[in-house]
């Protein structure tokens, strides 16, 4: 059970050419699932020649480089053009705070990328209707900024906003619409519990848990970095997301599952070993003792040669300066005083005594350097002699003593003969072998269940929040028993963080514990938890393409403001801004007059 990390690189998105069916008889709606983890975009066209699937899928990230020193401007990369997020981790920016877009400059970069790669060729505007997903109970300011971006910057004819999890619920409807149910949606940043009554969202009883796949990846990264501090840098967020997607699962009973992992046999049968990349060239322990000794001798020889070269250079410089000083001293002895004083000035000396002291010091230094050079040559010769194989030294004068020693050793030979094989065998058999591949393996035991468990037990990471089961029970208790029975008949799971094996069984177990005895309930998982939001938005766009319900036109935007929302079956509930009523100006003007009249009376 050794699994290598794929470390897959993202391929840049190609520029697609839209077909004729997208433009005629009327512009087809452009469906964008604007998620905090991934953006998905495609056409909502009923024509069979247009693919009924998202044509673009990329991470909702952008990175802007600082620019080269040569004068090149800053370069901005979006989505799959980044290649891999890890080298640019500290430059990555997202337009989302939790699941709400707040950085509209970055959101504009993502939309530019979508329109460019889908081949929207209209000049100066985007003449296609836009179907865009938004967060549950999206703040009015965020919707206002998004509408302003779409209508003012891109000149779109009309736009429709909807909730991604409700679009998924609409796509997977099992009963005749409108129907009721309890939608549990868990994504990259948040988890939502959404009650739907008669096909409409009951926004007053919606609840959010600020935990999702992002927090699970960070928690798993911290667990493994504490467990393997030697591989701190290799345990990246991208690899943790890969582990969560492919090797994690939800335990039906968390405590009981932890007890199973305490069994060594269960651990050996279920542990997953993740192989980190490594290189055999860095391994120094594969060298034999003879090769290590030879390498050490080569290094020693190289150092000795380097020191000898430096000593020779120093000796040459000192000798040249000593010859120069001796030449100046000869000028003094010959009586050439003018040349002598001129030479002293060049040497920065004041008197003949100072010249003599420098000559003495240089002479001593030259002699010491010569002795060191000779000593180093002798040491090299001794090393070469010692490296030869040793030969037995026969002493003819001490032959009698050596024969006595041999006879005394022969007396104890039977005793050593029995112990000698026992001593030699372990020495020959025990050879420490370092397995480099095993050293670069991450053993995933209880980490496989601890990281995804945080959505049920947020206290594992110190979050003071309720888990999915407690929040679900809290939402159900806000309804009557009849409404509760209707809601639990259609518990719907959607979102990328709901794809763990065993999650459906865990929700069924939690419902069994909280529901009355012998009461029935049904739990359904979305057919494609990641893409069903886009498929549902496309279904809605095709069905309501020629209707006015749910579409916000440019006239509505100009008259009612950017925060205006037209409700439909998969949208939020529109709550307009209520400003306090101002008192009429006539009453304000009459008040001073009445006061004046009362004063004069």
């Amino acid at each position: 059970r050794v699994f290598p990390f794929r470390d897959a690189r993202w391929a840049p998105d190609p520029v697609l050419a839209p077909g004729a069916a997208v433009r005629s008889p009327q512009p087809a709606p452009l469906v964008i699932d604007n998620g905090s983890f991934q953006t998905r975009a495609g056409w909502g066209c009923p024509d069979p020649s247009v693919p009924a699937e998202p044509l673009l899928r990329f991470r909702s990230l952008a990175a802007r480089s600082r620019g080269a020193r040569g004068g090149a401007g800053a370069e901005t990369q979006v989505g799959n053009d980044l290649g891999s997020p890890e080298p640019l981790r500290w430059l990555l920016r997202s337009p989302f705070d939790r699941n709400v877009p707040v950085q509209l400059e970055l959101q504009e970069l993502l939309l530019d990328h979508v329109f460019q790669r889908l081949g929207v060729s209209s000049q100066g505007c985007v003449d296609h209707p836009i179907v865009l997903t938004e967060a549950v109970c999206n703040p009015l300011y965020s919707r206002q900024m998004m509408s302003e971006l779409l209508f003012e910057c891109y000149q779109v004819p009309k736009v429709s906003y909807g909730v991604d999890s409700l679009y998924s619920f609409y796509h997977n409807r099992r009963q005749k619409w409108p129907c009721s149910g309890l939608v549990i949606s868990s994504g990259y940043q948040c988890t939502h519990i959404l009650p739907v009554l008669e096909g409409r969202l009951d926004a007053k009883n919606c609840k959010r848990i600020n935990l999702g796949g992002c927090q699970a990846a960070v928690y798993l990264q911290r667990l493994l970095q504490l467990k393997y501090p030697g591989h701190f840098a290799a345990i990246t967020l991208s690899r943790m997301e890969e582990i969560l997607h492919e090797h994690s699962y939800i335990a039906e009973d968390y405590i009981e599952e932890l007890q199973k992992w305490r069994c060594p046999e269960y651990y050996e049968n279920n542990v997953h070993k993740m192989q980190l990349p490594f290189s055999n060239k860095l391994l120094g322990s594969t060298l034999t003792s003879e090769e290590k000794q030879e390498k050490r001798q080569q290094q020693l020889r190289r150092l000795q040669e380097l020191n000898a070269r430096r000593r020779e250079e120093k000796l040459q410089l000192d000798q040249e300066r000593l010859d120069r000083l001796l030449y100046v001293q000869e000028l003094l002895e010959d009586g050439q005083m003018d040349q002598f004083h001129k030479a002293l000035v060049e040497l920065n000396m004041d008197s003949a005594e100072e010249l003599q002291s420098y000559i003495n010091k240089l002479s001593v230094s030259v002699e010491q350097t010569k002795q060191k050079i000779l000593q180093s040559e002798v040491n090299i010769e001794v090393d070469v002699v010692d490296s030869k194989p040793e030969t037995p030294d026969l002493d003819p004068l001490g032959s009698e003593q050596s024969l006595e020693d041999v006879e005394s050793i022969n007396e104890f030979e039977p005793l050593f003969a029995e112990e000698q094989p026992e001593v030699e065998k372990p020495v020959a058999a025990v050879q420490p072998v370092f397995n480099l591949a095993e050293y670069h393996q991450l053993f995933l035991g209880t980490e496989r269940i601890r990281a995804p468990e945080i959505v049920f037990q947020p206290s594992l990471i110190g979050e003071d929040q309720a888990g999915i089961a407690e929040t679900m029970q809290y939402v159900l208790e806000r309804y009557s028993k009849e409404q509760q029975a209707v809601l639990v008949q259609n518990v719907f799971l959607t979102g990328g963080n709901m794809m763990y094996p065993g999650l459906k069984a865990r929700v069924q177990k939690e419902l069994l514990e909280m529901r009355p005895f012998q009461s029935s309930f049904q739990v359904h998982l979305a057919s494609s938890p990641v893409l069903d939001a886009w498929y549902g938005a496309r279904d809605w766009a095709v069905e309501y393409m020629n209707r006015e319900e749910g579409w916000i036109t440019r006239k509505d935007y100009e008259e009612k403001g950017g925060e205006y929302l037209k409700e439909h079956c998969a949208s939020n509930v529109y709550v307009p801004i209520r400003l306090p009523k101002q008192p009429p100006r006539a009453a304000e003007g009459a008040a001073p007059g009445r006061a004046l009249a009362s004063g004069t009376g």
Side-chain angles (χ1 to χ4, degrees), residues 311-312 315 368-377:
R311 291 192 188 101
E312 290 176 357
L315 177 62
Q368 289 179 352
T369 306
K370 288 181 179 179
Q371 291 178 3
K372 288 181 180 179
I373 291 175
L374 292 175
Q375 185 66 28
S376 63
E377 292 177 355

Side-chain angles (χ1 to χ4, degrees), residues 326-544:
L326 290 175
Y327 171 73
V328 174
Q329 192 178 32
E330 288 177 1
L331 293 177
L332 177 63
E333 294 174 356
D334 295 343
Q336 301 177 8
M337 301 303 296
D338 295 338
Q339 296 181 3
F340 173 73
H341 288 298
K342 187 177 180 180
L344 280 182
V345 173
E346 292 177 357
L347 294 173
N348 198 16
M349 294 183 183
D350 298 332
S351 61
E353 291 79 7
E354 187 177 357
L355 174 65
Q356 186 62 42
S357 66
Y358 271 101
I359 290 175
N360 294 337
K361 289 179 182 179
L362 277 177
S363 301
V364 173
S365 176
V366 168
E367 289 299 324
Q368 289 179 352
T369 306
K370 288 181 179 179
Q371 291 178 3
K372 288 181 180 179
I373 291 175
L374 292 175
Q375 185 66 28
S376 63
E377 292 177 355
V378 171
N379 290 338
I380 292 175
E381 292 178 358
V382 170
D383 291 340
V384 172
V385 171
D386 290 345
S387 63
K388 295 180 181 179
E390 297 182 357
T391 56
D393 188 11
L394 301 178
D395 186 10
L397 296 177
S399 59
E400 297 179 359
Q401 187 176 1
S402 62
L403 288 174
E404 293 176 359
D405 293 340
V406 170
E407 291 176 357
S408 62
I409 290 173
N410 290 336
E411 294 178 1
F412 295 98
E413 190 171 349
L415 298 176
F416 290 111
E418 298 177 359
E419 299 178 358
Q420 190 172 359
E422 297 179 1
V423 175
E424 290 181 355
K425 281 182 181 179
V427 172
V430 176
Q431 293 183 357
V433 177
F434 181 72
N435 191 345
L436 188 64
E438 187 172 348
Y439 173 73
H440 285 83
Q441 287 177 2
L442 307 179
F443 285 63
L444 301 178
T446 56
E447 292 84 6
R448 295 177 59 195
I449 61 173
R450 290 176 67 183
E453 182 66 20
I454 64 171
V455 294
F456 289 93
Q457 300 185 53
S459 59
L460 291 176
I461 59 173
E463 289 289 340
D464 189 14
Q465 300 183 49
I468 287 180
E470 298 168 279
T471 308
M472 186 165 48
Q473 184 175 7
Y474 178 80
V475 170
L476 289 174
E477 287 177 352
R478 299 175 73 91
Y479 295 96
S480 63
K481 293 184 178 180
E482 293 76 13
Q483 289 177 321
Q484 289 184 27
V486 172
L487 289 175
V488 297
Q489 289 302 318
N490 190 12
V491 178
F492 179 70
L493 310 178
T494 185
N497 204 38
M498 286 287 176
M499 297 179 66
Y500 297 113
L503 191 138
K504 181 179 177 181
R506 175 67 175 270
V507 174
Q508 289 175 339
K509 173 182 173 294
E510 300 290 350
L511 277 172
L512 185 63
E513 292 177 355
M514 73 177 68
R515 295 300 297 157
F517 179 63
Q518 289 186 345
S519 62
S520 63
F521 57 85
Q522 292 184 10
V523 180
H524 307 290
L525 181 65
S527 57
S528 176
V530 175
L531 298 178
D532 275 356
W534 188 89
Y535 290 139
R538 179 191 175 277
D539 295 344
W540 185 92
V542 171
E543 185 176 350
Y544 288 82

Side-chain angles (χ1 to χ4, degrees), residues 39-68:
T39 300
R40 308 164 192 91
W43 299 106
C45 183
D47 193 283
S49 63
V50 179
E53 59 184 14
L55 302 177
L56 286 182
R57 295 176 61 185
F58 59 89
R59 289 287 297 270
S60 302
L61 297 171
R64 182 173 295 170
S65 61
R66 297 178 181 177

Side-chain angles (χ1 to χ4, degrees), residues 171-187:
H171 178 70
N172 289 271
R173 57 188 182 275
R174 299 173 182 274
Q175 306 168 7
K176 185 179 179 181
W177 192 265
C179 59
S180 302
L182 189 66
V183 180
I184 304 177
S185 170
S186 183

Side-chain angles (χ1 to χ4, degrees), residues 93-105:
R93 296 291 180 270
S94 172
F96 291 89
D97 181 8
R98 293 291 182 179
N99 60 335
V100 177
V102 293
Q103 298 286 342
L104 270 299
E105 294 180 359

